[in-house]
Amino acid sequence: MHGFLSLPAQVIETDVAQYVDPRIGSVGLGRVFIGPCLPFGMAKPGPDCGVGNNPGWASMPAAVSGFSQTHVSGTGGGPKYGNILVRPFAGADQHRASESIDLGRYACEFQESGIKAEVTSASRTSFYRFIYPQGTKPYVEFDLSHFLGRNSVPKAREAQQFEDAKLRVLNDHEWSGYQTISGGWNNGAPYTVFFYAEQKTSADTLLLKVGISYVSEQQARANCLSDIPHWRFEEVFEHCVSEWESLLSRLPLPTEASDRVKRMYYTALYHMCLMPTEREDGTYDDYYAIWDTYRTSTPLLTLLAPERATAIARSLLTIYQRDGFMPDARSGNSNGRTQGGSNAEIVLCDALARGLDIDAELALEAMLKDATVAPLDDEAEGRGGLAEYNKYGYIPYIKNDGHRIARAGNRTIEYAFCDWAIAQVAKYVYEKKYNDSNVTTSPLKGGREGGLYQQYMDQSTRWKNLWRADYEHDGARGFIMPRNEKGEWLDNLPFGHSQNRPLTFPYTPDVSYEGPWYCKWWDCFMYEASSWEYSFAIPHDIPGLIEACGGPVAFEARLDTFFAHKYYNVANEPSFLTPLLYHYIGKPEKSQTLIRKIIEEHFNDQPNGLPGNDDGGAMSSWLACHLLGMYPLAGTNEWIKYPPMTDIHVRDTVNQPDAAPQAPYDYTLKFSLHGQTRRFYISYWPTVQDETIKWTIQRNLRWWHGSFSMNRKALEKGTRLCYQQPVDGQHITISDDELFCMVSRKVLREIRKHGRCTFDGAQWLVVGEERPYAKVHHFHLRSDEGAEMWVNDDLFTPYIVKMINNPMEIDWELSK
């Protein structure tokens, strides 16, 4: 079924770099970085189209603000970096007349100015060539106020914030300085990017080198001069391409693969090697996040570049020694955030299992720190809910005091996997220390490590403590489900924190993504997955999982249902291994057929060629593994092997969720859920005589749309807001007393007459009146629980146009 790696004898193809296309995954959900970069390079220069795009770049016709030197690739959540912007033009953003995106080089021409821009990269230095129209004086501007993820709300979650900057003019062709920014996706501490720049002009051409450093301006200058000690642009570009050629040619596809499959494969390997980022001291940053990459990227890198995999694993231990904890995610030299487990433990276990040279005893020490010491900030590092996990053997979602422990479900599952990894490393250390030849066939005896092995192997079965064996859903029996601190199973989960109107929603295994749209997405029972997905995500105990599901026959039927009924999420890491689980019941042919179908429907060699966020190369590495015909079992030295999928039929279009509404909609409803913006597109057709008012709704990037009806009686006298969710084309009729984004006419009359009202379980008082538009009058109200809302003074359609500080933890703004 699986075993040690043995690459088949084949003709080794050269010039594989020609197949890398940085555009793949740049459009849609992929969010890959399109600029030039060396493998794991610190300098990632590229165009920034405003401040809202994670990789900086956006497709034409978006305007370009300039070129910044730092970016991430494929990430979701809030943007990070976008530091030290240079622009070859003055003032306002400009538009591209054309552009080309190639391995090692980005180029474009600007409409307004006619300037042609090119950029390539060395390890820590960007190199620009700007060609100006004849008669135009060449110059560049530096903008140290620019960065990605700008938000007008101070210290907004996942937004970057300006802290400090300085520009030094050294002479007429040299500059240095720094920019200090805080926050971003990992809500990190302030980080400083130092830079040194020098230019050379001749006639209509300006050459500009920008060296960066996270140490000092002096180090930035040293980086610049050592990286590129000359002014030969083409030479730097050719060196960048040759570095990629040297790396990617180490793990070739069979030569019979089509050119389109080769473009998918070698670009996938390329994406996998953009992050993490090698810093000047040899450590690595931008683990973004290990929760995404430990499953496929980390093991595949041990084949492609074991020296890099070793350095990346060692860096985790250096971070532990410096900061006290290893990261689950890290960026800008700050740990944060944890998403599920303390997954650096899997990386270290994988490194040792695959023969990498790291300090095993230090690794065990760092792993035990995660497993035994609660961090001060469990979103930044370590294990949240650790005390409860060790007390009960699972993390209760609801504590006795009513408080919730965020992500209790997937944390319990992943902590069990991490405990298994601790056991394996303890065993490794024991064998090395005592050279006991019997430890592989009998329980470890004696020594601290032997006891640790048994303890953490026992703990690795704790996923079973959330396995509700008698729970049935869609023909399957047994699921990971929530419990409270008393051990009781929870069929309904609370949301919000209103004392006036405490609300719950039914939790079932098919509750998608984090939960219903109205939940605080970061604090749900599962993170980025349903129970259907996570109930298959037990990679360290698949035989135990098969038994829990009722044996091989029941397990096969359950897998069939999972894929046939679309519980599988191709864009989600917890489902990465699931298509291969047929191997474990002796049906590898079903896995291969299924994987081929998944790739052909959801991947291609076009800009929309990735079905989800690439997440620092995680999605790409999944694809690369399957095209190569080898899927790793993380934390082991094993691979599931099958024939390389070199004959994939590559389609011109792939199945992706819509990123924008497909029809004109009357309103855009912008929600801010725990600092995250989500949008709904709404059509609404009320007429005076209608008994019901029908809304159709589509939400971008989350795979659902639907419609629902509101009774006319509710519009007249309703007293509560509706928080239901129509999904998958479903139509629902809400209760006679509930309204969607509106108050009733009776409530509006109370506001007009008395300056107060009772609504949604709260007492509201008018605190002001506004007229944001010429003919629109809004009442501004505040509730006894501190929420604020603005109500449109229109008896026909009395919308709540804005809501903030809502105790249901939902803020929104409705715009035409």
Side-chain angles (χ1 to χ4, degrees), residues 526-543:
M526 293 290 194
Y527 176 72
E528 287 198 8
S530 68
S531 179
W532 260 102
E533 291 179 83
Y534 256 116
S535 293
F536 279 119
I538 317 292
H540 63 291
D541 191 10
I542 295 174

Side-chain angles (χ1 to χ4, degrees), residues 371 383 389-390 393 415-417 419-420 454-463 540:
R383 296 188 180 186
Y389 175 76
N390 285 333
Y415 292 177
F417 185 18
D419 286 345
W420 175 88
Q454 193 57 57
Q455 174 188 343
Y456 283 95
M457 281 301 292
D458 291 344
Q459 290 185 193
S460 73
T461 65
R462 286 180 171 178
W463 63 271
H540 63 291

Side-chain angles (χ1 to χ4, degrees), residues 517 665 669 671 679-683 695-699 704-708 724-727 730 740:
W517 67 267
Y665 281 75
L669 186 61
F671 283 89
R679 288 179 173 82
F680 292 83
Y681 303 96
I682 299 170
S683 285
W695 302 70
T696 62
I697 186 167
Q698 175 179 324
R699 180 166 145 211
W704 67 261
H705 65 280
S707 62
F708 56 94
Q724 294 189 62
Q725 170 185 242
V727 297
Q730 177 187 16
F740 181 77

Side-chain angles (χ1 to χ4, degrees), residues 204-278:
D204 60 353
T205 301
L206 186 151
L207 299 175
L208 177 70
K209 295 185 286 190
V210 183
I212 62 171
S213 170
Y214 292 89
V215 177
S216 67
E217 292 175 52
Q218 293 76 17
Q219 186 61 50
R221 183 176 187 275
N223 289 344
C224 182
L225 298 181
S226 62
D227 273 353
I228 311 176
H230 54 78
W231 291 97
R232 296 184 293 276
F233 185 91
E234 294 298 330
E235 184 175 320
V236 176
F237 162 61
E238 291 168 3
H239 175 72
C240 182
V241 174
S242 69
E243 287 291 298
W244 283 109
E245 174 69 33
S246 176
L247 176 65
L248 302 180
S249 61
R250 296 179 180 183
L251 198 59
L253 271 186
T255 54
E256 65 266 22
S258 70
D259 283 354
R260 297 191 73 178
V261 170
K262 289 175 183 176
R263 280 196 290 273
M264 292 164 63
Y265 173 73
Y266 289 109
T267 303
L269 291 185
Y270 165 79
H271 285 150
M272 187 182 77
C273 297
L274 293 177
M275 292 165 59
T277 302
E278 185 182 17

